């Protein structure tokens, strides 16, 4: 009889401890970011049409030799519009090749969007069906991948790029890649 009196209190204490542990673990500043299994591994191969000339395709092997930033975007993506001025400013520095990956977008909509907001990309790849995105682990836009000259994925960021993120994360990695050459 006495144990049954303490049972609710023990259950409450256990739940309180679990809640406290969850709150403690959620203090990580980047807790929403999903780690990419591609980091440190070869980038998935692809062969995609160029948005501005669908008769021409670009393969991963065409981009090897120098590092590049692959930026996943779509004309339907609200956060891509927020990111675009930052990406444009960064691309203008010519510090790194910026490759656009237009994801699940109608080509006419994507072309109209680039006409309206400007085209910061060295080349824009088009993946209307989004099949290549599955290999890369893309689950939203915008996302960005830093790929070194050997075709190894070195960094992934989910969400819009910011000036601070470029300065504190991306550029130091680019400097490391350049020092390794």
């Amino acid at each position: 009889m006495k144990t049954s009196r303490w049972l609710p209190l023990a259950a409450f204490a256990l739940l309180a401890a679990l809640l406290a542990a969850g709150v403690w673990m959620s203090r990580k500043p980047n807790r929403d970011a999903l780690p990419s299994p591609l980091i440190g591994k070869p980038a998935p191969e692809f062969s995609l049409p160029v948005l501005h000339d669908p008769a021409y395709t670009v393969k991963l092997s065409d981009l090897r030799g120098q590092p590049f930033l692959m930026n996943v975007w779509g004309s339907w993506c609200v956060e891509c519009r927020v990111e675009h001025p930052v990406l444009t400013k960064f691309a203008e520095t010519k510090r790194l090749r910026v490759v656009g990956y237009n994801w699940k977008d109608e080509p006419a909509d994507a072309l109209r969007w680039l006409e309206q907001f400007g085209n910061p990309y060295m080349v824009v790849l088009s993946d209307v069906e989004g099949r290549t995105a599955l290999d890369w682990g893309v689950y939203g836009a915008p996302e960005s991948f830093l790929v070194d000259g050997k075709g190894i994925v070195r960094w992934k960021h989910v969400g819009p790029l910011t000036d601070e993120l470029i300065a504190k994360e991306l550029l130091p990695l680019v400097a490391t890649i350049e020092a390794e050459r």
Side-chain angles (χ1 to χ4, degrees):
M1 194 81 139
K2 285 193 172 199
T3 22
S4 64
R5 266 173 68 187
W6 292 102
L7 192 58
L9 182 59
F12 176 76
L14 180 64
L15 285 174
L18 286 172
L19 178 63
V23 169
W24 178 260
M25 292 171 66
S26 72
R27 296 179 329 130
K28 294 180 192 171
N30 203 10
R31 67 180 178 270
D32 293 333
L34 296 176
S36 174
L38 292 178
I39 304 297
K41 295 183 180 154
E45 294 292 334
F46 61 81
S47 179
L48 291 168
V50 172
L51 178 66
H52 293 86
D53 185 1
Y56 183 71
T57 60
V58 172
K59 299 176 198 154
L60 177 63
S61 59
D62 297 330
L63 298 171
R64 285 204 177 110
Q66 293 181 352
F68 66 92
L69 181 72
M70 187 168 80
N71 177 253
V72 180
W73 67 279
S75 65
W76 46 265
C77 168
V78 175
E79 290 298 309
C80 296
R81 192 174 288 203
V82 171
E83 173 187 66
H84 199 73
V86 173
L87 188 64
T88 299
K89 186 169 86 173
F90 175 69
E92 287 171 353
T93 69
K94 299 200 184 300
R95 182 73 203 283
L96 188 64
R97 298 179 300 165
V98 180
V99 174
Y101 177 94
N102 185 242
W103 182 49
K104 291 189 173 185
D105 208 355
E106 289 300 319
D109 294 338
L111 289 167
R112 193 171 24 261
W113 196 86
L114 289 172
E115 180 69 30
Q116 181 178 358
F117 298 108
N119 184 355
Y121 304 108
M122 176 192 89
V123 64
V124 180
L125 309 175
S126 179
D127 189 2
V128 176
E129 285 141 22
R131 289 196 177 113
T132 299
L134 295 173
D135 296 335
W136 282 75
V138 173
Y139 68 94
E143 288 186 22
S144 296
F145 296 84
L146 175 62
V147 180
D148 70 17
K150 296 174 185 165
I152 305 297
V153 177
R154 301 291 290 267
W155 180 76
K156 177 183 179 181
H157 177 72
V158 177
L161 294 173
T162 63
D163 290 328
E164 181 180 4
L165 185 73
I166 289 170
K168 290 187 175 178
E169 290 186 32
L170 181 60
L171 288 177
L173 277 170
V174 171
T176 299
I177 291 168
E178 290 171 344
E180 292 171 356
R181 282 196 223 169

